[in-house]
Amino acid sequence: MIKTALTPATTETRGRNTAQRAAVLAVMGDSSRFRTAQDIYADLRAEGARVGLTTVYRHLQRLSDEGVIHSVQTPDRQTAYRLCSSSHHHHLVCARCGAGVEIPGTEFEEWAAGEASSRGYSRVTHKVEIFGTCPACSARNGPESST
């Protein structure tokens, strides 16, 4: 089964809905930038939430596993998180069986670098996830129309 990205309005339908989980999601919903667990913990504590750093890490890992949030490795090798977008991911994924294949994306990398450069950006990174039907599912069920 494919884990689909969830919007903030639907995140409470997955996982155990605890006060700490809701607080982590609320803090993350207030920002569109990637944030470390320490950043999120500091915001929660500043708001008076009674939550430990270990609990924040645990909820971030679960939310990431559920596809609710997206994680990246920062240049200083920390993991940072943000709420996940339904179309912004990292793999070629079969929409039928959920099989995933890592793809090199050389053409996309060149396109993204060119687009960013033409707009004055540098040190550009990206992540992409593409959905389709894997060869095994196509052979079993016939190809689907992409229209």
Side-chain angles (χ1 to χ4, degrees):
M1 183 170 139
I2 296 174
K3 293 179 184 177
T4 58
L6 302 174
T7 61
T10 61
T11 56
E12 294 170 2
T13 62
R14 297 189 120 183
R16 192 167 150 232
N17 195 17
T18 65
Q20 292 94 354
R21 176 187 172 100
V24 168
L25 284 169
V27 166
M28 295 190 73
D30 289 340
S31 176
S32 62
R33 67 181 178 91
F34 283 96
R35 311 194 49 221
T36 66
Q38 292 87 353
D39 294 335
I40 294 163
Y41 172 74
D43 284 356
L44 288 167
R45 297 297 293 184
E47 293 174 4
R50 294 178 48 121
V51 63
L53 182 58
T54 301
T55 300
V56 171
Y57 273 109
R58 185 173 55 249
H59 282 294
L60 290 171
Q61 184 60 56
R62 286 180 184 160
L63 291 165
S64 180
D65 290 347
E66 294 168 8
V68 175
I69 62 174
H70 191 92
S71 65
V72 296
Q73 195 81 26
T74 63
D76 59 352
R77 304 187 61 84
Q78 292 189 56
T79 303
Y81 306 88
R82 71 170 170 84
L83 286 176
C84 191
S85 164
S86 63
S87 63
H88 187 245
H89 297 279
H90 321 85
H91 295 88
L92 175 59
V93 178
C94 179
R96 290 184 179 172
C97 71
V101 178
E102 292 186 15
I103 54 174
T106 305
E107 289 180 8
F108 182 81
E109 291 171 13
E110 292 171 1
W111 174 83
E115 290 294 314
S117 177
S118 72
R119 289 165 175 78
Y121 281 72
S122 62
R123 299 184 202 151
V124 174
T125 62
H126 67 274
K127 295 189 178 189
V128 177
E129 187 169 292
I130 302 168
F131 294 91
T133 304
C134 72
C137 287
S138 289
R140 265 194 311 272
N141 301 314
E144 288 183 344
S145 172
S146 61
T147 58

